[in-house]
Amino acid sequence: MRSYQPDLTPPWKKSTPAPEVPAEPDLVVEEAVSGFCGAVIRCEKTAQGPTVTLEDRFGKHRVFPMEPHGFLLEGKVVTLVRPSAGGPVRPARTASGSVAVPGARARVARAGRIYVEGRHDAELVERVWGDDLRIEGVVVEYLEGIDDLPAIVREFAPGPDARLGVLVDHLVPGSKESRIAAQVTDADVLVVGHPYIDVWEAVKPSSVGIPGWPAVPRGQDWKTGVCRALGWPENTGAAWQHILSRVGSYKDLEPQLLGRVEELIDFVTLPA
């Protein structure tokens, strides 16, 4: 007599089980059907079954059922499960929202660069994107203003293997900054900007603990005017250190800055 296995399903019709991954806070996954990508905020038990809430890098939340084969982790199909009580919580992403690479060494610096206007801009970019930049081998330098940007670009001598990205404050139609940026037409240079007068404004007021960034009359130094309006000591260096200390991740920054920095990193690292 022949013996048969209890499961008579043909092998090609059997679904391959997906690995189970605990939905720990900060784990970054992609929902397989919608393509929504975000970090785990919480898991909940409902009458319809367990759900997971994801938050994308712009702060948008969505709730998904924790179904088998329902998510992608680093491109591979997984099944999210509720984490065990008291289990370890390990950060799975960098401050910029990128997937963390534990133990990764800094890459040798590329010939390409990212230029920002001032020291505060550079410190903010380092705070949020520093881990990503070291892995990619991208160096950020600051210019102390962009009045001489066309000459700086010529001196840099950009090329396909040495591309240059420039982040400009207050890049809005009709501004001095927009007129200077328009003079740079090299195909290996990307000049982008945000609408804020200073990079301080790119930090969300709620993160700093203020209702909003005050309006400063024209002709008055903007940083000093902000300190006066908020009742802070008129020490802009100390004020900036206070602001910077309240930035823990991309969640503390406005989307208008997030998108521009990501665009510059892609420009100087991706093949031409």
Side-chain angles (χ1 to χ4, degrees), residues 56-234:
D56 70 8
R57 67 174 56 218
F58 300 109
K60 182 179 180 180
H61 288 196
R62 287 189 61 179
V63 180
F64 298 100
M66 296 170 67
E67 297 179 343
H69 302 79
F71 299 87
L72 301 178
L73 176 61
E74 298 182 1
K76 297 181 180 179
V77 177
V78 298
T79 296
L80 288 186
V81 296
R82 299 185 70 189
S84 58
V89 176
R90 295 176 293 178
R93 59 177 175 169
T94 66
S96 72
S98 301
V99 176
V101 184
R105 294 184 178 182
R107 177 174 175 169
V108 175
R110 296 172 181 265
R113 292 286 188 274
I114 291 177
Y115 285 171
V116 297
E117 286 202 48
R119 181 169 60 86
H120 293 180
D121 305 70
E123 289 177 344
L124 186 60
V125 169
E126 163 63 26
R127 172 64 63 94
V128 176
W129 288 274
D131 290 340
D132 304 31
L133 294 168
R134 280 183 283 279
I135 291 176
E136 295 290 352
V138 177
V139 175
V140 175
E141 300 180 10
Y142 64 90
L143 305 173
E144 292 292 358
I146 66 161
D147 289 350
D148 299 322
L149 183 60
I152 292 170
V153 170
R154 287 193 297 270
E155 183 179 357
F156 182 83
D161 297 323
R163 304 174 96 184
L164 178 61
V166 183
L167 180 67
V168 178
D169 297 341
H170 199 226
L171 191 62
V172 296
S175 67
K176 177 192 76 172
E177 292 83 359
S178 66
R179 291 191 293 271
I180 294 173
Q183 299 175 41
V184 179
T185 57
D186 193 302
D188 294 306
V189 180
L190 176 63
V191 181
V192 300
H194 55 74
Y196 307 112
I197 294 174
D198 190 274
V199 77
W200 288 19
E201 279 192 294
V203 180
K204 291 180 178 178
S206 58
S207 296
V208 184
I210 59 177
W213 291 105
V216 176
R218 296 189 65 176
Q220 184 178 146
D221 178 73
W222 190 84
K223 291 186 177 75
T224 302
V226 166
C227 292
R228 289 173 181 166
L230 294 176
W232 295 351
E234 293 182 23

Side-chain angles (χ1 to χ4, degrees), residues 21-85:
V21 176
E24 302 282 3
D26 284 334
L27 179 71
V28 178
V29 295
E30 177 183 341
E31 201 275 327
V33 176
S34 67
F36 185 89
C37 183
V40 173
I41 299 300
R42 60 182 172 272
C43 296
E44 295 178 302
K45 188 176 181 180
T46 70
Q48 292 74 34
T51 64
V52 61
T53 301
L54 303 182
E55 179 185 63
D56 70 8
R57 67 174 56 218
F58 300 109
K60 182 179 180 180
H61 288 196
R62 287 189 61 179
V63 180
F64 298 100
M66 296 170 67
E67 297 179 343
H69 302 79
F71 299 87
L72 301 178
L73 176 61
E74 298 182 1
K76 297 181 180 179
V77 177
V78 298
T79 296
L80 288 186
V81 296
R82 299 185 70 189
S84 58

